[in-house]
């Protein structure tokens, strides 16, 4: 389809998008600018606006620099979210209000706060496309390099040309983002892995192109199988492996925003507002203002934070506290947005909306916690800061010294030595040292039911000395269970349970489910209930088989005319152990008590004992009552207990221990644990818990078994040891081979390392690193 100016639809999109961008953002610094700013400049038929004269002058001097400054595959400023800020996951101090790349490490910047809109995965798609195009060309190039001279009846010089043609698309197109970041690292003066990859690949390519186009420049000693050795396959393999690493890294980074997007999805999309004239309308949540009266019907989520003005109901606040039992809310009580109204109808007054709600603050805490602890800087990046310039200096020195003191062919030998140094110092082994160990360790961990999110989690786990554990769903099952039936004298336990289950099957209270489930497990006959009545804060009443049944607390028993004697000792013991106890009566006569509790997982005592024996300080943090939390802690032997604790307090608890110099792990399973999981040095989520917790954490125990923590710690120790061995192999290899490549032995032996041998040595170092990493598969955990 053509537009009126004769251009295609793609050009039309750009011409429509740029004016909108220019009216709002300074194209030089990205600052917001009013459309009526007097500081403007016209370029290409489009007017641009600026925040100050300096930005305008810079734009006038070189407009294209600012209009086309991002490498292919990165986010364009057209994708910028209004009002959003972008930061680097590796260097969180880098922060700007438009997309781009990090000036330090070259990674693409990502939004500080995600939205529910579809996530922009253009960079991942671009890297994937480049990788899959490069793979067949790389395989063909390697095949020609290894077997071309012996399998195909072609001239040796033609083989080099074929390899160069196969490598050209890999280098020129597939490797474009890599070389763009390489160039950026040089411009910004921040050497990193991109610098090493760029230098090594460029050296191999430059040497190989010259050897292919002008082989007569090289001595006969540098020929094999009738041609000068070329290293196109090394360049193609390096680029393909780097693209593969970028694909895996981008997929991993996408998971960090998944937790925040899940939290954003917890809020209802609309609220039912009561107008001054008494009419009611459903409105978007963003239209709710402080002071609005809102109706919340049974089964609906509470839209914003506020106060109950009419009605009473039980509200499920497990999103906030992690505890499964609902909380009674009556007139005057505060309620929190995104919690669930389970039974009665409520009218509430909105007191906090938008970014002021507790859910919004939890989202902000998770985001800040994730950025406050940048992912582990790869050891290779740290080494690169010093290693790159050392390699360049050695290569330059060998070229100059050979040229001055090498005689008639000194400058040629100097060039060959310099290229050999750059090739042999190519970061294949250094780059593989950590990723190979991590890849093998992650595969082994998965077979043990342990999922690590990134390399930082594996490395940090071994240093953990303090473990904060959530109670519900982590130490306990997180599901209320009927633990005991205590009938009064002359009453049947089965009949008590049958009558209770018959009445509770009509109830929405969380305690009803374990009672009904226990009756069905015993295959008791559950009757139909008539005249069912739910009494908020007290219990339920109804008629079962012609008998009036009441189930609830002491207040309900008194209202129903049921005489209650003193509480028997077994009930007192259960209450002290943190269990919930309800009374069951029929026709104004007490039948007995039902004890419901959240039982401790079978594996928990063993896990707690092993963690303590390893010298790890255990802390229990729970949103449950003081009595319940202390009862569970006492049974497990945990001394440090924090109860009735909210998400912000859990986050502060993690920060407090970190401030004391401790390395803190946090184990939890609920939405309320998400900020603390993200803030901890190692966040551990139960695979049986919420998606939000798992996306916020660094480690997931698939089966929710705390014994996996010790297995993960053991694997962390073995993996870190293996990574250090790999780095040592790579660095020792470079320390020995770089001087040889520079020609230090030539005066004594007359031997000069050719680039061909340098490439072979480079490959051998990579093989040794890979072989050492594979030993982890046999490590006993």
């Amino acid at each position: 389809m053509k537009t009126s100016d004769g251009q295609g639809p793609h050009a039309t999109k750009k011409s429509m998008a740029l004016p909108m961008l220019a009216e709002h953002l300074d194209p030089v610094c990205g600052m917001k600018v009013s459309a009526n700013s007097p500081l403007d400049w016209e370029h290409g038929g489009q007017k641009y606006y600026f925040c100050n004269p300096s930005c305008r002058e810079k734009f006038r001097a070189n407009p294209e620099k600012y209009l086309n400054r991002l490498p292919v595959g990165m986010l364009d400023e057209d994708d910028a979210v209004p009002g959003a800020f972008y930061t680097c996951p590796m260097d969180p101090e880098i922060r700007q209000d438009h997309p781009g790349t990090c000036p330090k490490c070259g990674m693409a910047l990502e939004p500080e706060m995600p939205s529910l809109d579809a996530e922009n995965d253009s960079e991942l798609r671009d890297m994937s496309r480049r990788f899959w195009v490069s793979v067949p060309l790389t395989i063909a190039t390697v095949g020609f390099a290894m077997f071309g001279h012996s399998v195909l009846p072609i001239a040796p010089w033609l083989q080099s040309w074929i390899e160069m043609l196969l490598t050209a698309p890999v280098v020129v197109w597939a490797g474009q983002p890599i070389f763009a970041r390489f160039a950026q690292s040089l411009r910004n003066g921040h050497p990193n892995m991109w610098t090493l990859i760029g230098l090594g690949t460029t050296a191999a390519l430059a040497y190989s192109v010259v050897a292919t186009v002008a082989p007569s420049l090289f001595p006969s000693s540098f020929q094999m199988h009738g041609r000068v050795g070329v290293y196109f396959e090394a360049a193609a393999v390096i680029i393909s492996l780097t693209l593969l690493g970028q694909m895996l890294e981008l997929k991993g980074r996408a998971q960090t925003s998944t937790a925040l997007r899940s939290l954003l999805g917890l809020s209802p999309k609309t609220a039912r507002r009561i107008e001054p004239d008494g009419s009611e309308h459903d409105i978007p949540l963003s239209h709710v203002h402080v002071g609005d009266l809102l109706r919340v019907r049974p089964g609906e989520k509470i839209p914003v934070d506020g106060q109950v003005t009419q009605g009473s109901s039980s509200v499920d606040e497990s999103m906030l506290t992690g505890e499964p039992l609902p909380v009674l809310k009556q007139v005057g009580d505060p309620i929190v947005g995104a919690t669930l109204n389970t039974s009665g109808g409520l009218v509430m007054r909105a007191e906090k909306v938008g970014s002021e709600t507790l859910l919004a603050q939890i989202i902000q805490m998770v985001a800040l916690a994730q950025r406050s602890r940048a992912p582990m800087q790869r050891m290779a990046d740290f080494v690169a800061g010093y290693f790159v310039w050392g390699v360049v200096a050695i290569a330059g020195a060998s070229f100059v010294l050979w040229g001055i003191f090498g005689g008639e062919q000194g400058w040629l030998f100097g060039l060959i030595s310099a290229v050999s140094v750059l090739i042999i110092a190519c970061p294949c082994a250094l780059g593989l040292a950590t990723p190979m160990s991590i890849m093998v360790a992650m595969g082994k961990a998965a077979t043990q039911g342990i999922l690590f999110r990134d390399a930082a989690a594996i490395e940090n786990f071994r240093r953990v000395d303090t473990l904060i554990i959530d109670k519900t769903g982590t130490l306990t099952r997180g599901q209320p269970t009927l633990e005991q039936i205590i009938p009064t004298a002359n009453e049947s336990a089965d009949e008590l349970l049958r009558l209770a289950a018959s009445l509770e099957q009509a109830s929405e209270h969380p305690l009803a489910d374990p009672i009904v489930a226990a009756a069905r497990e015993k295959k008791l006959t559950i009757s139909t209930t008539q005249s069912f009545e739910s009494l908020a804060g007290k219990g339920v009443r109804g008629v079962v088989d012609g008998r009036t049944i009441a189930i609830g607390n002491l207040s309900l028993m008194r209202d129903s005319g049921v005489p209650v004697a003193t509480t028997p000792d077994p009930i007192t013991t259960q209450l002290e152990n943190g269990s919930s106890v309800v009374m069951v009566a029929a026709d104004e006569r007490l039948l007995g008590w039902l004890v419901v509790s959240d039982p401790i997982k079978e594996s928990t005592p063993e896990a707690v004992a092993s963690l303590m024996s390893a010298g790890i300080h255990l802390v229990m943090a729970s949103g449950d009552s003081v009595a319940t939390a202390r009862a569970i802690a006492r049974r497990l032997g945990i001394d440090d207990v924090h109860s009735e604790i909210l998400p912000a307090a859990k986050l502060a608890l993690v920060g407090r221990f970190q401030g004391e110099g401790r390395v803190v792990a946090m184990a939890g399973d609920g939405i309320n644990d998400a900020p603390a999981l993200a803030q901890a040095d190692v966040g551990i989520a139960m695979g049986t818990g919420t998606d939000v917790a798992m996306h916020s954490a660094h480690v997931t125990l698939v089966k929710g078994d705390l014994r996996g923590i010790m297995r993960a710690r053991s694997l962390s120790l073995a993996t870190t040891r293996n990574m250090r061995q790999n780095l040592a192999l790579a660095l020792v290899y470079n320390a020995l081979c770089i001087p040889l490549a520079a020609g230090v032995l030539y005066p004594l032996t007359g031997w000069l390392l050719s680039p061909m041998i340098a490439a072979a040595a480079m490959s051998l170092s990579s093989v040794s690193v890979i072989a050492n990493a594979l030993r982890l598969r046999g490590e006993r955990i």
Side-chain angles (χ1 to χ4, degrees):
M1 180 181 71
K2 295 284 186 177
T3 60
S4 58
D5 59 1
Q7 297 181 348
H10 181 70
T12 303
K13 175 184 180 294
K14 283 290 182 182
S15 63
M16 292 175 64
L18 277 175
M20 184 178 296
L21 175 65
E23 290 175 0
H24 296 90
L25 295 178
D26 184 324
V28 175
C29 67
M31 292 290 290
K32 291 185 178 180
V33 184
S34 173
N36 58 10
S37 171
L39 299 172
D40 56 34
W41 182 259
E42 187 171 317
H43 172 73
Q46 172 60 49
K47 185 175 287 188
Y48 297 89
Y49 297 83
F50 304 89
C51 64
N52 62 70
S54 175
C55 285
R56 183 172 65 174
E57 292 306 313
K58 290 179 181 178
F59 185 82
R60 289 175 59 182
N62 189 358
E64 298 304 321
K65 174 182 177 181
Y66 300 102
L67 296 179
N68 303 285
R69 60 183 172 187
L70 296 179
V72 176
M74 303 299 167
L75 288 173
D76 199 311
E77 287 190 358
D78 287 345
D79 299 313
V81 178
F85 280 87
Y86 295 79
T87 186
C88 174
M90 292 287 284
D91 301 288
E93 67 274 13
I94 303 300
R95 190 171 180 267
Q96 62 188 42
D97 62 358
H98 57 274
T101 55
C102 176
K104 288 187 176 182
C105 68
M107 294 179 73
L109 303 182
E110 57 187 26
E112 287 183 335
M113 294 292 290
S115 68
L116 285 174
D117 299 331
E119 188 172 351
N120 190 312
D121 61 349
S122 58
E123 185 182 10
L124 175 58
R125 286 186 282 107
D126 182 71
M127 289 292 183
S128 300
R129 183 170 61 250
R130 292 173 189 276
F131 170 73
W132 290 114
V133 169
S134 73
V135 166
L137 295 172
T138 298
I139 293 174
T141 304
V142 172
F144 264 96
M146 296 179 65
F147 309 112
H149 62 278
S150 58
V151 175
L152 298 177
I154 58 176
W157 64 269
L158 181 59
Q159 180 179 337
S160 297
W161 279 94
I162 291 174
E163 289 181 28
M164 184 170 69
L165 292 175
L166 288 172
T167 306
V170 177
V171 174
V172 176
W173 181 76
Q176 192 274 339
I178 297 172
F179 288 103
R181 294 176 181 183
F182 164 52
Q184 184 185 43
S185 72
L186 296 180
R187 286 196 306 269
N188 296 329
H190 290 287
N192 49 40
M193 281 298 294
W194 301 111
T195 316
L196 285 172
I197 292 169
L199 280 175
T201 307
T202 301
L205 281 171
Y207 174 86
S208 300
V209 169
V210 173
T212 301
V213 176
S216 59
L217 295 177
F218 296 85
S220 58
S221 60
F222 285 86
Q223 293 189 9
M224 182 176 289
H225 303 298
R227 63 171 184 151
V228 177
V230 293
Y231 313 103
F232 293 114
E233 78 283 1
V237 168
I238 291 170
I239 288 173
S240 293
L241 288 177
T242 303
L243 289 171
L244 175 60
Q246 284 300 289
M247 283 173 53
L248 298 177
E249 184 176 273
L250 288 168
K251 287 181 179 180
R253 285 172 56 190
Q255 294 179 2
T256 62
S257 65
T258 304
L260 299 179
R261 293 164 67 87
S262 298
L263 286 171
L264 286 169
L266 290 176
S267 292
K269 305 300 180 289
T270 61
R272 190 167 187 82
R273 183 165 63 192
I274 302 174
E275 305 295 347
D277 61 3
S279 61
E280 299 182 7
H281 303 282
D282 288 332
I283 60 172
L285 193 65
S286 58
H287 292 183
V288 176
H289 302 289
V290 173
D292 284 352
L293 290 180
L294 308 173
R295 184 176 299 281
V296 186
R297 291 164 290 195
E300 292 183 340
K301 286 185 176 181
I302 294 169
V304 296
D305 296 2
Q307 187 180 75
V308 178
T309 61
Q310 182 181 326
S312 64
S313 177
S314 293
V315 176
D316 180 357
E317 294 187 334
S318 58
M319 179 276 292
L320 175 65
T321 65
E323 302 310 314
L325 301 181
V327 179
L328 175 65
K329 296 293 181 179
Q330 296 175 318
V331 175
D333 289 339
I335 49 178
V336 179
T339 56
L340 181 65
N341 179 28
T342 62
S343 52
L346 297 174
V347 175
M348 63 171 291
R349 178 182 294 106
E351 294 182 342
K352 293 182 180 179
V353 300
S355 61
E356 299 299 318
T357 65
L358 183 58
L359 177 62
Q361 292 173 18
I362 291 175
I363 294 171
Q364 292 169 7
M365 285 189 289
V366 173
L368 288 172
Q370 287 180 338
R371 291 194 302 274
S372 66
R373 179 200 20 72
M376 180 185 65
Q377 281 281 5
R378 278 174 261 176
M379 181 67 75
D381 274 346
F382 174 78
V383 173
Y386 302 95
F387 180 69
V388 170
W389 304 124
V391 170
V392 172
I394 293 172
S398 63
F399 174 72
V400 172
L401 291 174
W402 271 105
I404 295 175
F405 302 107
E408 184 177 345
Q409 289 188 309
W411 291 107
L412 175 60
F413 285 147
L415 176 63
I416 293 171
S417 295
V419 171
S420 295
V421 168
L422 292 174
I423 290 176
I424 209 166
C426 186
C428 285
L430 197 60
L432 287 172
T434 297
M436 280 302 302
S437 297
I438 294 300
M439 183 176 67
V440 176
M442 284 186 170
K444 185 174 182 63
T447 65
Q448 303 286 324
I450 304 165
L451 303 179
F452 286 101
R453 191 176 76 184
D454 52 29
I458 295 181
E459 181 174 358
N460 288 339
F461 214 118
R462 66 185 174 85
R463 300 188 296 113
V464 168
D465 55 27
T466 301
L467 174 62
I468 301 174
I469 312 178
D470 172 56
K471 180 185 75 69
T472 305
T474 306
L475 294 171
T476 65
R477 293 179 186 174
Q479 298 175 341
T481 303
L482 181 61
E483 187 171 300
Q484 193 173 4
I485 304 171
I486 305 177
T488 55
N490 303 320
E491 296 294 342
S492 165
D494 283 352
E495 181 63 11
L496 186 157
L497 178 58
R498 187 188 74 82
L499 292 173
S502 299
L503 181 60
E504 290 285 15
Q505 69 177 332
S507 173
E508 296 177 348
H509 196 285
L511 291 183
D513 291 337
I515 294 172
V516 174
R520 287 175 176 166
E521 185 177 346
K522 288 191 171 189
K523 298 181 179 179
L524 302 178
T525 302
I526 299 178
S527 303
T528 303
T529 300
Q530 297 174 337
S531 304
F532 178 82
E533 183 181 9
S534 177
L535 304 169
K538 295 182 179 181
V540 292
R541 275 195 303 225
V543 177
V544 177
D545 296 339
R547 304 175 69 184
T548 301
I549 308 299
I551 304 176
N553 56 22
L554 183 60
S555 177
L556 178 62
M557 295 298 111
R558 288 172 178 168
D559 291 348
S560 302
V562 179
V564 179
T566 58
T567 305
D569 291 341
I571 299 301
T572 302
T573 302
Q574 293 292 350
L575 291 171
E576 290 175 352
N577 288 336
S579 299
S580 297
V581 179
V582 295
M583 289 178 274
V584 182
D587 296 329
E588 301 182 1
R589 189 178 80 254
L590 183 65
L591 300 182
W593 297 263
L594 297 177
V595 180
V596 179
S597 66
D598 184 8
I600 295 174
K601 293 179 181 177
E602 292 81 358
S603 60
T604 295
E606 179 187 344
V608 169
S610 62
L611 290 166
M612 287 181 172
S613 65
I616 295 176
H617 177 60
L618 294 187
V619 182
M620 191 175 85
S622 173
D624 212 337
S625 65
V626 174
T628 301
R630 288 182 177 174
I632 296 295
R634 185 169 56 252
R635 291 167 62 185
L636 293 172
I638 299 175
D639 298 326
D640 197 347
V641 183
H642 299 261
S643 55
E644 298 180 354
I645 188 170
L646 296 180
K650 284 188 180 181
L651 179 66
L653 185 62
V654 172
R656 193 192 87 191
F657 282 112
Q658 289 175 327
E660 295 173 359
R662 294 176 178 267
V663 180
V664 182
M666 169 71 195
D669 75 323
I671 295 167
N672 62 310
D673 299 317
L677 288 170
Q679 171 67 30
D681 298 287
V682 179
I684 306 167
M686 302 297 108
T688 51
T690 63
D691 290 342
V692 173
M694 285 185 278
H695 289 308
S696 299
H698 313 97
V699 182
T700 298
L701 305 181
V702 176
K703 298 179 181 179
D705 187 341
L706 282 178
R707 291 175 296 187
I709 295 179
M710 285 302 295
R711 289 195 290 268
R713 186 172 183 268
S714 177
L715 184 59
S716 171
L717 289 167
T719 304
T720 304
R721 184 169 58 247
N722 190 270
M723 286 191 292
R724 287 174 175 170
Q725 293 168 352
N726 283 347
L727 288 169
L729 282 171
L731 292 174
V732 168
Y733 149 80
N734 278 294
L736 293 175
C737 292
I738 288 177
L740 296 179
V744 295
L745 293 183
Y746 186 82
L748 299 176
T749 64
W751 181 68
L752 186 65
L753 186 68
S754 78
M756 188 185 314
I757 303 299
M762 178 188 70
S763 301
L764 184 61
S765 71
S766 299
V767 170
S768 65
V769 165
I770 293 171
N772 186 59
L774 291 175
R775 289 194 311 109
L776 270 175
R777 293 188 302 183
E779 191 80 25
R780 186 173 181 179
I781 303 301

